[in-house]
Amino acid sequence: MTDRATAWGPASLSNLGPGFDALGLCLTGLGDRVSASRTDAPGVTVTGPPSLPTDPDRNTAARAAAHVLTQSGLEGGLALEIKKGIPLGSGVGGSAASAVAGAWAANVVLGSPFTKPDLVDAVLEGEVAASGSKHGDNVLPALFGGLVLTSPSDPTEYRHVDLEDAPEIAVLIPHVEVLTRQARAVLPETVPHRDASAQAAELAFLLDALRAGDWLEVGRRIMRDRLAEPHRSTLVPVYDAVKAAALEVGAAGCALTGSGPAMFALPSPDADAETVLEAMKAASLDGAIDAHGWVARVDPGGVRTLDA
Ligand code: HSE
């Protein structure tokens, strides 16, 4: 058994337009690192940036790691050290990345008793520390990689889909704070039947295009969400300008990711992601909102060990 293990928890896109609370995609290029060491004292302790709670119940990595420790039945405890690469509240799955890295580092340092499917309960439990409920649309793609379809009513139900030939993706984080609970609070309690049925059809078309690798069609479909984005876009003052700029330089589609403020764009085959990203960033700056971003690929593998 190793004394210390460090895991990489990747960033992820969630919702992807009409896949509200149901679809997530794992990304390369940005992530959190969590190191775990075994301790004689029971329980989980955590150190990290001052912005993170140290109460193990309220810290996503610690809560997920504690679940793994209990599941293992082993004696002693764990000390975690978190290095955040993903800004908090950005919309690219920062709390989920820490949760999966915490669960994975704990698993490795305990001698790897569990496979990734065995860790689903632990990472969902980790997400509870951030959002108060079990959402799978960031933690499951960050765990497995690729695309994950999950059920909002029972996130232990999921499908992992490998995506081939996915294009590069431009991801922009405008520097405005959008808290997930605020972004959920702007959603109406009920929706008209015609919107619910249209959304179901849009999600079916989106999944069909994703499975077929028809990325031009995927781009079009990510802009057809009826349930969340029309309400949430009002929380990001540069939303319209960033989207228009992306489409202007050849993006096939552009949408919010998660509860925002981050936005992502898929370039059409004759455009390139770097150009799209620069246009999105310039539009945000023109709107007096600083922003940064990166060009990502789909990460097919999800959480992984960096050092053990
Ligand atoms: N699907 C969630 C939402 C992701 O859009 O609110 C945020 O954690």
Side-chain angles (χ1 to χ4, degrees):
M1 219 179 285
T2 177
D3 289 340
R4 180 181 161 94
T6 302
W8 169 262
S12 52
L13 302 177
S14 58
N15 298 344
L16 309 181
F20 177 63
D21 275 355
L23 276 187
L25 189 62
C26 189
L27 296 181
T28 62
L30 199 68
D32 291 351
R33 286 178 165 77
V34 178
S35 302
S37 312
R38 292 193 74 174
T39 58
D40 291 333
V44 177
T45 57
V46 58
T47 53
S51 51
L52 290 184
T54 49
D55 172 355
D57 268 352
R58 293 178 48 235
N59 181 293
T60 64
R63 195 163 167 135
H67 192 97
V68 176
L69 182 62
T70 305
Q71 201 176 339
S72 74
L74 291 167
E75 307 249 305
L78 294 168
L80 302 185
E81 186 186 338
I82 302 174
K83 291 197 175 132
K84 288 296 292 177
I86 306 176
L88 287 172
S90 54
V92 288
S95 52
S98 286
V100 295
W104 191 252
N107 184 43
V108 174
V109 86
L110 294 172
S112 299
F114 303 118
T115 63
K116 285 190 177 182
D118 296 333
L119 295 177
V120 165
D121 283 338
V123 299
L124 289 170
E125 190 58 42
E127 180 68 48
V128 172
S131 64
S133 57
K134 293 187 178 179
H135 287 294
D137 56 348
N138 283 112
V139 281
L140 296 181
L143 179 64
F144 292 111
L147 178 76
V148 174
L149 171 64
T150 177
S151 163
S153 56
D154 178 6
T156 62
E157 223 180 87
Y158 62 89
R159 296 286 179 278
H160 175 225
V161 181
D162 273 328
L163 293 179
E164 283 174 20
D165 302 326
E168 291 184 325
I169 303 169
V171 188
L172 185 81
I173 306 179
H175 298 179
V176 285
E177 187 175 74
V178 176
L179 300 174
T180 300
R181 67 171 172 280
Q182 174 194 13
R184 293 189 87 83
V186 299
L187 303 180
E189 272 298 309
T190 57
V191 298
H193 194 281
R194 66 177 174 281
D195 285 340
S197 53
Q199 185 90 349
E202 289 299 344
L203 177 52
F205 280 117
L206 174 60
L207 264 178
D208 183 61
L210 283 161
R211 280 189 170 278
D214 183 349
W215 290 93
L216 201 54
E217 181 67 3
V218 171
R220 278 197 286 268
R221 294 289 170 186
I222 62 169
M223 296 190 289
R224 304 272 187 92
D225 171 40
R226 293 203 182 199
L227 302 188
E229 198 148 328
H231 304 285
R232 289 175 163 184
S233 55
T234 58
L235 302 174
V236 184
V238 290
Y239 171 88
D240 287 326
V242 168
K243 188 169 173 178
L247 297 176
E248 173 79 18
V249 295
C254 177
L256 284 178
T257 164
S259 52
M263 298 176 71
F264 71 104
L266 297 170
S268 52
D270 51 358
D272 83 282
E274 201 62 61
T275 306
V276 171
L277 178 61
E278 285 311 312
M280 293 165 77
K281 202 186 296 179
S284 189
L285 292 176
D286 279 353
I289 299 212
D290 204 1
H292 72 284
W294 82 106
V295 168
R297 284 212 164 267
V298 175
D299 177 344
V303 68
R304 63 178 189 273
T305 309
L306 293 177
D307 271 317

